[in-house]
Amino acid sequence: MRISDRPIAVQLAELGVELIPGVSLVDKTSLGIGGTTDQLNLRKFETIPDVIRLLKQDGILHKFLGGGSNLLVADGELSFVVLHLPTSQPGMHVEGTVAYVDAAADLGGTVTFCAKRDLGGMEGLIGVPGSIGGALRMNAGAYGTQIGTHVREVELYRAATGRIEKLEGNDIRFDYRHTSFAPDDLMLRVKLELPSKPFKEILAGIKVCNEKRRSSQPLNQKSAGCIFKNPQGGSAGRMIDELGLKGHHVGDATVSDRHANFFVNKGNASCSEMLQLIDDVRERVRKAYGVDLENEVIVWKN
Ligand code: EPU
C-alpha cells in the first residue's frame, strides 16, 4: 500500500513519523519472504494514538513490525502499511534487580546487557531472534526459560481503548507460546525482575544453551524458528521427522534436514509456497497421528 502521495503523509510528518516508501518485507523478515509496502517509523510512543486515528480515518490498514523473526508475510503489493517502533540506544536500563526495556530492543541484546549487570534467569533466550515486544506477545521460551516468568509490568497501546496503558505482570496470563494480550495490543516497554547471579555463572549457562541450539537447529538458514507449536506432551519436530519429511519441499520452501519443525527458505521461496508446505505437513501429521498442529509462525495475509 502506498500512501506517500496522499495528504495523510503531511499529517503523519507533523507527528514526527518517518515514511519510507516501497519497503520490501523480504529484507525485514528472517524468512526472507514478503511483499512491498510503505513503512512508518514512529519516533515517539506518545504519538501512537494520533497516528492510528489518522490511519483509521483514511481507511488505511496497518500492522506492527517488530524483529520480523516469527512472521510469514504475503507476496506482492501488501494491502496494509507497517508501523515500526522507536528505540533509544541501548533501549534498556537496570535499577537493582529490575530491568526497564523498550519493546523494540533486541531480545538477545537484552539478555547480554542484563547478564553484564549480574542479572540472570534469561540464559535460555540468548539465541532466540527478535525483539522484546515480539517475545512478550508470544511468551517466547527456550531451554526451560520463558520471558513471561520475569515480567512485572508492561506498557502498551491498546487498540480497544485507543490509549497507552500499563498492565501489572499479575494481570497478564503467560502460557506456552500464548498470552492474554489482545491481537492488536502493541507492546511499548516492559519491566522485568531478574534473579541476581554472577556474570560468569550466567555466561556458562548461555554457552550451554548456545551449544545445544547450534547442534540441533539450522541457525545459518532463513527460517522463522519453529513453524508449529508443540502439541501438549508431544514434539512437532519429532513427528515430522518420523514421517520422513526432512528435505520435503514446495519450491524453495523446505523442511529443514537439521530440525524438522524449522521450515527454511532455500532461496526465493514465496509465501504461497511456504503456506502450501505448512498445509501439506499439517495434513500428513493429522492423518498419521490424529494431531492438528497449530501454527507458531504468525501469517500476515493480504
Ligand atoms: N526431534 C527429532 N527430530 C527433529 C527435531 C526434534 O527427533 O527434527 C526430537 C529431538 O531429538 C527431541 C525432541 O524432538 O527429542 C524435541 O526437540 P528439541 O529439543 O529440538 O525441542 P523442540 O520441542 O523441537 C522447542 C521449542 C524451540 C526451542 C527448543 C529448546 C517449540 C515449538 N519449539 O523445540 O523454540 O528452541 O524447544 O528449548 O516449542 C521456536 O519456538 O521457534 C523454537 C525454536
Side-chain angles (χ1 to χ4, degrees):
M1 167 165 275
R2 305 307 167 98
I3 62 169
S4 52
D5 54 355
R6 297 200 198 172
I8 191 176
V10 178
Q11 293 167 290
L12 289 169
E14 281 164 8
L15 288 171
V17 176
E18 180 192 16
L19 198 159
I20 308 179
V23 169
S24 168
L25 278 269
V26 164
D27 306 319
K28 302 279 176 184
T29 57
S30 57
L31 259 176
I33 294 177
T36 304
T37 190
D38 285 356
Q39 177 174 324
L40 309 184
N41 291 336
L42 306 170
R43 293 226 178 83
K44 284 189 195 145
F45 293 156
E46 298 71 43
T47 61
I48 293 172
D50 289 333
V51 170
I52 306 290
R53 210 171 300 129
L54 280 178
L55 293 173
K56 264 195 182 159
Q57 274 167 18
D58 265 31
I60 298 166
L61 302 175
H62 67 273
K63 294 195 185 286
F64 289 100
L65 178 67
S69 58
N70 192 36
L71 259 191
L72 173 57
V73 183
D75 305 311
E77 185 65 37
L78 300 173
S79 58
F80 47 84
V81 295
V82 293
L83 307 189
H84 200 62
L85 280 181
T87 176
S88 49
Q89 288 303 330
M92 57 196 85
H93 72 277
V94 160
E95 287 173 22
T97 57
V98 169
Y100 296 85
V101 191
D102 285 354
D106 176 65
L107 176 59
T110 305
V111 177
T112 314
F113 183 91
C114 293
K116 285 181 182 160
R117 286 151 185 84
D118 297 325
L119 294 180
M122 298 196 291
E123 291 85 335
L125 293 172
I126 187 69
V128 177
S131 64
I132 283 285
L136 282 175
R137 159 158 298 292
M138 67 176 293
N139 191 19
Y143 305 111
T145 308
Q146 297 192 109
I147 192 164
T149 312
H150 305 291
V151 172
R152 293 297 167 264
E153 188 181 271
V154 174
E155 191 174 351
L156 73 174
Y157 167 77
R158 305 210 95 168
T161 60
R163 283 207 303 268
I164 290 174
E165 298 177 14
K166 280 184 183 166
L167 285 182
E168 295 283 322
N170 289 337
D171 295 330
I172 308 164
R173 268 198 67 173
F174 290 100
D175 299 318
Y176 165 69
R177 301 293 193 272
H178 186 265
T179 61
S180 55
F181 294 117
D184 50 8
D185 280 346
L186 171 64
M187 312 296 126
L188 300 177
R189 283 193 198 97
V190 65
K191 177 177 166 185
L192 300 167
E193 192 168 0
L194 300 165
S196 293
K197 250 193 205 182
F199 177 53
K200 270 192 179 168
E201 219 176 280
I202 303 172
L203 205 58
I206 283 176
K207 275 192 180 152
V208 171
C209 294
N210 270 340
E211 236 134 72
K212 281 191 197 163
R213 196 180 290 281
R214 259 197 299 271
S215 68
S216 64
Q217 299 180 1
L219 301 186
N220 54 357
Q221 287 185 289
K222 290 187 266 183
S223 84
C226 286
I227 281 286
F228 299 112
K229 294 183 186 180
N230 281 335
Q232 205 164 12
S235 160
R238 185 185 294 139
M239 289 190 285
I240 301 167
D241 192 358
E242 280 172 2
L243 291 175
L245 293 175
K246 280 182 169 170
H248 182 54
H249 65 102
V250 178
D252 278 340
T254 308
V255 177
S256 161
D257 44 24
R258 185 166 263 257
H259 192 301
N261 196 13
F262 279 64
F263 290 10
V264 298
N265 172 7
K266 284 211 159 167
N268 293 307
S270 64
C271 180
S272 63
E273 286 168 338
M274 192 54 85
L275 286 173
Q276 275 179 56
L277 184 67
I278 291 172
D279 286 347
D280 181 33
V281 171
R282 194 192 335 265
E283 192 48 35
R284 287 170 190 252
V285 168
R286 192 193 339 248
K287 275 195 184 137
Y289 295 91
V291 171
D292 198 9
L293 291 177
E294 188 188 338
N295 281 2
E296 177 176 307
V297 69
I298 293 165
V299 182
W300 284 359
K301 292 197 170 148
N302 233 346

